[in-house]
Amino acid sequence: MSSTNNPSDAVSDRSAQETPLLEVKGLRKYYPIRRGFLSRTKGFVKAVDGVDLTIQRGETLGLVGESGCGKSTTGRCLLRAVDATEGQVRYWMSDESGWTDIYALEGQDLRRFRRFAQMIFQDPFSSLNPRMTLLQIVGEPLTVNRLASGEELEHRVADLLRRVGLRPEYMKRYPHAFSGGQRQRIGIARSLALEPNFIVCDEPVSALDVSIQAQTLNLLQDLQEEFHLTYLFVAHDLNVVAHIADRVAVMYVGKMVELAESDDLFASPLHPYTEVLMSSVLPPDPRIKTRQIEMTGEVANPADPPSGCYFHPRCRYAEERCWQETPELREIRPNHFVSCHRAEEITLEGVL
Amino acid sequence: MTPPDDQRLLEIRNLKVQFALEEGTVRAVDGMSLVVNRGQTVGVVGESGCGKSVTAQALLRIVPKPGEIVDGELLYYRPTGSDGENLHVTDLVGLPANGDEMRDIRGNEIVMVFQEPMSSLAPVYTIGHQIMEAIELHQQVDRKEARERTLEILQRVGMPQPTQTIDSFPHQMSGGMRQRGMIAIALSCNPTLLIADEPTTALDVTTQGQILELMQKLQNDFGMAIMFITHDLGVVAKMTEYVTVMYLGKVVESADVDTIFHNPKHPYTKALLRSMPRMGVKSRRLEAVTGMVPDPFHVPPGCPFHPRCEDYIAGRCDAEEPPWIETEPGHGVRCVLYE
């Protein structure tokens, strides 16, 4: 967990740091659109359209954006839960093995990777099999990988349940007997069963009530400390992301538009879309009057994105260059990346 | 009956709704009281299972079976006469749920916007058809005029390209457009009260902001009252004037919005506010409310919040029902700490 608040400290820290845990280059995921009698491919939905990213060991990287921006698909590609169309995803799994390209893995090696990286899902109601007991659900990863059985299995599951704040006596019960918050804990226990290093948390608290949300966020932070976990935290609630993430990446229509240290991003965003997103956060305080920046039109269609910068039809700062040239992700300030032609000229408002 | 205060639109008095299920009786709403004035925006806040949505269903008399209103009054100060000058007090509980008068009020004077715009619009009819249906049902107009009014209302809710969208099916529209469509149906008959049940929960943040601003604008234009049912404290802070906090079927606190956020009294309200992550407040841990909402078949005796309460007094909170105490005019709390 990088706990530095001063950006200049963060820079020196970072350069001294070891290699990152994970490196993504040119990640693309296109879904074919098939139509007609012969189901010919008529085009592609570009769900993820060129994402570059590194994740440091022990950090929480927040990934935000609106529905359909490709944030969940990105998370899944990092785990090879869906196969990317293009691009490279490399993990530094251990010092002995060095960099591992997960799209080159097969058989035994792929199974080893599956133990290294896990996922926590959004909906605790549909992500647990209703016909399985907690013992079966939480113990399944251990059984499948032949790591434990019988008494040993019960022992390990009991331990996992205790870690997430559930009573081991509940082991023989079925998910329907539990509330949303408890079910999310069951899902977390299952994802921890194989002692992973990296977890993709896909909207882990958005289906939970306010009071349960706070408990779950605390639990995730405690587990991170205890097991030295690295998180990719996919979410749309910026209040939650600002609280939990060390760095935040913003996506819009399959592309990463901005990536920065959390405090830096919320205090002084560099991309106009980030500015709009932040202006739409509603603070839980009637004395703070906010005004959302107006944004024209609808989100671009990922099957037929606009030319140049995908955000230009809705951007209040757009000029000719924005619909002619595609902007690249550039490091404008130390550790602050943005893909906007006009990032140096315009001054945007943050929320901190 | 006392002569009505002319600002008063709705008065919920000690409403109780119960569901008799095989496993036992669920007291979904257990003595809810609330006053809504004309043109006012009231927030009803609470977590899942607190009874906020059932309260709304009771108001429209659409509580699903086996749910039943077992007690209380729903006094609706109904404008009558051609210009709505006179008020006639009607207890909605006394009306047959499917009788002429209730059908006249429901969908016409008291309307509702639901959380999920996809599942609450009919998929096989165009949005225009669904708005025209509401207009034709409640107002004496012919086809042509209904279509004109529909176009007008679509414009007012900011629907993009209304002349084309009027003939679109729900699946051809985005989430924000569908919610605008829902609001258009609700507003087509000039209601006096709009009940909005988590109207923006399923929407993206930028769309949420647009819909909320639309609702504020329409409220200025039409002057209807809005009852906002939500668990989102950010939405409550932005939209409402008066707030009622519910926990397990009971109102635990009621006050104007500034008081609820800056001078809350009930331990539950305080705990909820403390547990919210806030921008700019960097803390390692959130102050979470301990425990969880009990299941509805085993509501704790006494104050239902006592097992999770920090200020719990043994022998009192778990034994007696806390009284409703007015700490100052307009600010009430259900807690023994303020006796």
Side-chain angles (χ1 to χ4, degrees), chain B residues 135-152:
Chain B
I135 295 175
E136 283 172 34
L137 202 63
H138 293 293
Q139 297 172 19
Q140 273 67 50
V141 292
D142 62 22
R143 263 276 134 118
K144 194 160 162 283
E145 204 185 331
R147 192 175 165 93
E148 273 164 25
R149 286 203 194 173
T150 302
L151 268 176
E152 191 198 311

Side-chain angles (χ1 to χ4, degrees), chain A residues 62-80:
Chain A
L63 187 56
V64 300
E66 298 184 273
S67 45
C69 74
K71 55 189 193 300
S72 290
T73 309
T74 302
R76 275 155 211 239
C77 287
L78 298 196
L79 299 180
R80 225 179 128 179

Side-chain angles (χ1 to χ4, degrees), chain A residues 258 265 268-272 274 332-333 336-338 340 343 346 348:
Chain A
E258 190 162 0
L265 184 90
S268 49
L270 289 172
H271 197 284
T274 314
I332 295 209
R333 287 204 292 260
H336 197 144
F337 298 83
V338 64
C340 174
I346 53 180
L348 306 180

Side-chain angles (χ1 to χ4, degrees), chain A residues 262-284:
Chain A
S262 176
D263 292 345
D264 189 19
L265 184 90
F266 286 103
S268 49
L270 289 172
H271 197 284
Y273 176 64
T274 314
E275 187 190 33
V276 173
L277 266 192
M278 286 182 183
S279 76
S280 61
V281 172
L282 298 176

Side-chain angles (χ1 to χ4, degrees), chain A residues 54-231:
Chain A
T54 55
I55 301 180
Q56 303 296 332
R57 211 167 293 273
E59 81 167 335
T60 300
L61 178 71
L63 187 56
V64 300
E66 298 184 273
S67 45
C69 74
K71 55 189 193 300
S72 290
T73 309
T74 302
R76 275 155 211 239
C77 287
L78 298 196
L79 299 180
R80 225 179 128 179
V82 293
D83 276 330
T85 311
E86 226 182 282
Q88 197 183 39
V89 180
R90 303 196 302 169
Y91 283 81
W92 189 273
M93 285 171 59
S94 66
D95 290 340
E96 299 87 68
S97 53
W99 285 111
T100 308
D101 179 350
I102 58 163
Y103 283 95
L105 292 178
E106 288 179 343
Q108 193 58 46
D109 293 331
L110 182 59
R111 272 199 294 281
R112 198 166 65 93
F113 168 70
R114 298 274 182 233
R115 291 171 56 181
F116 184 84
Q118 287 287 325
M119 181 146 183
I120 297 169
F121 295 93
Q122 168 174 8
D123 186 348
F125 289 89
S126 59
S127 56
L128 302 178
N129 187 336
R131 291 161 184 255
M132 287 163 74
T133 62
L134 294 208
L135 176 63
Q136 288 167 317
I137 291 171
V138 177
E140 191 175 44
L142 296 167
T143 335
V144 169
N145 285 285
R146 301 207 185 91
L147 293 171
S149 62
E151 222 168 272
E152 160 77 5
L153 181 71
E154 283 194 24
H155 188 72
R156 304 254 306 248
V157 170
D159 187 47
L160 285 162
L161 291 178
R162 237 177 268 123
R163 303 260 170 164
V164 298
L166 290 171
R167 290 207 207 139
E169 301 93 274
Y170 293 162
M171 204 186 286
K172 297 284 161 67
R173 297 198 193 171
Y174 292 87
H176 72 86
F178 297 90
S179 69
Q182 288 172 315
R183 286 187 213 203
Q184 198 55 297
R185 286 170 190 260
I186 299 168
I188 294 171
R190 177 182 160 109
S191 72
L192 289 175
L194 296 172
E195 296 167 21
N197 290 54
F198 177 61
I199 299 182
V200 172
C201 310
D202 191 358
E203 301 270 11
V205 296
S206 54
L208 305 178
D209 271 322
V210 192
S211 71
I212 306 301
Q213 184 175 311
Q215 293 175 2
T216 311
L217 290 172
N218 283 344
L219 174 67
L220 286 172
Q221 286 184 314
D222 292 345
L223 294 170
Q224 180 169 45
E225 247 165 48
E226 192 178 345
F227 299 106
H228 310 290
L229 296 168
T230 306
Y231 290 143

